[in-house]
Amino acid sequence: MAEVHTYPDVVALARAAAELFVSIASEAVAARGRFTVALSGGSTPRPLHRELASDPFRDRVEWAKVHVFWGDERMVPPNHEMSNYRMARETLLDHVPVPPQNVHRIHGELDAVQAAARYADVLRDFFGSAGPPRLDLIFLGMGTDGHTASLFPGSALLKERRRWVAGVPCGQAVEVPRVTLTPVVLNAAANVAFLVKGAAKAGRLQEILAGSEKPRELPAQLVEPEDGRLVWLVDRAANPGRL
Ligand code: 6PG
């Protein structure tokens, strides 16, 4: 059974996620002198970012030793309203002292293939090329269709076992092309935390966590870190007590 923690509301969920960020960051910095985290896109992470940018969490992180990556990005310029980088910059990075050189955004202004290749090079240069990059923490969201990052139902990327990063063309669920980490990197992480809120996701969450295994239809089911912790942080609206 997955590790699921349910919180009464979005603020409590955001604070729990901020506590997780702070505790993993402290451990990583103490052990390795740095903390590597991949942020998620969408709207759910906004309250988390605001908590991290505020007291008491802001002063509990050694931001100079934090390296920020992304789980996925939309192929739009970094100042576009759809940009996951812009959302993170506005809600978190403009408010904490992460050195600019520690912010490793996916270059949405490029085309998806170029941006994926460039991001894979960044990961290889940073983590080395021995094997898939092992991030200390990856935050993920879940769509109402069960997608996570930009891994959508039926995508060929759900079977990807070699590439770390891939482009995602436009399709029925993808209004703009995207770049995403593949399951190879997601499952190499030391910690993966899904943040899920809202009644609209309750049925899908139940299906993913308590239903049958059908990862090609429910990509979030693919996330099972080989040597890491997987935790679901959800609000009561998304889990009205059945999990
Ligand atoms: C994205 C995200 C995506 C998101 C889910 C949930 O770029 O959109 O990576 O996977 O996490 O779609 O989005 P919400 O948090 O907005 O519900």
Side-chain angles (χ1 to χ4, degrees):
M1 184 63 186
E3 180 182 350
V4 182
H5 299 282
T6 304
Y7 300 91
D9 54 42
V10 172
V11 171
L13 170 58
R15 287 179 178 156
E19 280 292 351
L20 184 71
F21 182 107
V22 168
S23 63
I24 295 172
S26 302
E27 180 274 328
V29 168
R32 291 175 293 283
R34 72 186 191 190
F35 169 54
T36 57
V37 57
L39 301 179
S40 172
S43 59
T44 301
R46 288 175 176 270
L48 161 63
H49 294 176
R50 281 194 289 273
E51 288 293 337
L52 288 171
S54 314
D55 291 338
F57 298 103
R58 187 184 189 283
D59 296 338
R60 291 173 55 194
V61 178
E62 284 191 79
W63 294 103
K65 296 180 180 175
V66 176
H67 285 266
V68 181
F69 300 84
W70 275 262
D72 69 334
E73 185 55 280
R74 295 87 176 272
M75 292 296 99
V76 294
N79 60 354
H80 191 283
E81 62 180 5
M82 289 180 65
S83 166
N84 290 339
Y85 163 76
R86 173 178 162 179
M87 184 273 282
R89 186 174 53 70
E90 289 178 339
T91 56
L92 177 60
L93 300 177
D94 281 352
H95 310 285
V96 294
V98 176
Q101 65 271 26
N102 289 17
V103 177
H104 311 280
R105 72 180 179 92
I106 300 170
H107 284 69
E109 63 272 31
L110 304 176
D111 75 45
V113 173
Q114 284 177 316
R118 179 173 180 153
Y119 194 48
D121 288 344
V122 166
L123 293 171
R124 195 167 291 107
D125 292 345
F126 187 90
F127 289 94
S129 56
R134 181 174 172 78
L135 280 94
D136 294 311
L137 174 59
I138 298 178
F139 280 115
L140 291 175
M142 183 201 80
T144 51
D145 61 355
H147 83 259
T148 190
S150 287
L151 300 169
F152 289 91
S155 165
L157 291 177
L158 304 183
K159 294 184 173 176
E160 182 63 49
R161 295 294 176 268
R162 182 180 53 81
R163 290 180 296 167
W164 299 353
V165 186
V168 179
C170 283
Q172 75 279 12
V174 189
E175 56 185 297
V176 296
R178 297 182 175 208
V179 162
T180 188
L181 292 179
T182 68
V184 175
V185 175
L186 301 183
N187 288 330
N191 297 275
V192 177
F194 276 94
L195 302 190
V196 182
K197 68 171 171 65
K201 300 192 178 170
R204 194 66 75 186
L205 184 66
Q206 170 82 7
E207 201 181 350
I208 285 171
L209 295 180
S212 57
E213 282 289 308
K214 41 188 180 179
R216 284 195 56 73
E217 295 170 43
L218 302 172
Q221 287 184 336
L222 277 174
V223 180
E224 292 178 327
E226 281 121 29
D227 177 21
R229 178 189 179 199
L230 171 64
V231 59
W232 290 76
L233 305 181
V234 305
D235 71 353
R236 177 62 65 204
N239 177 23
R242 294 170 292 188
L243 294 170

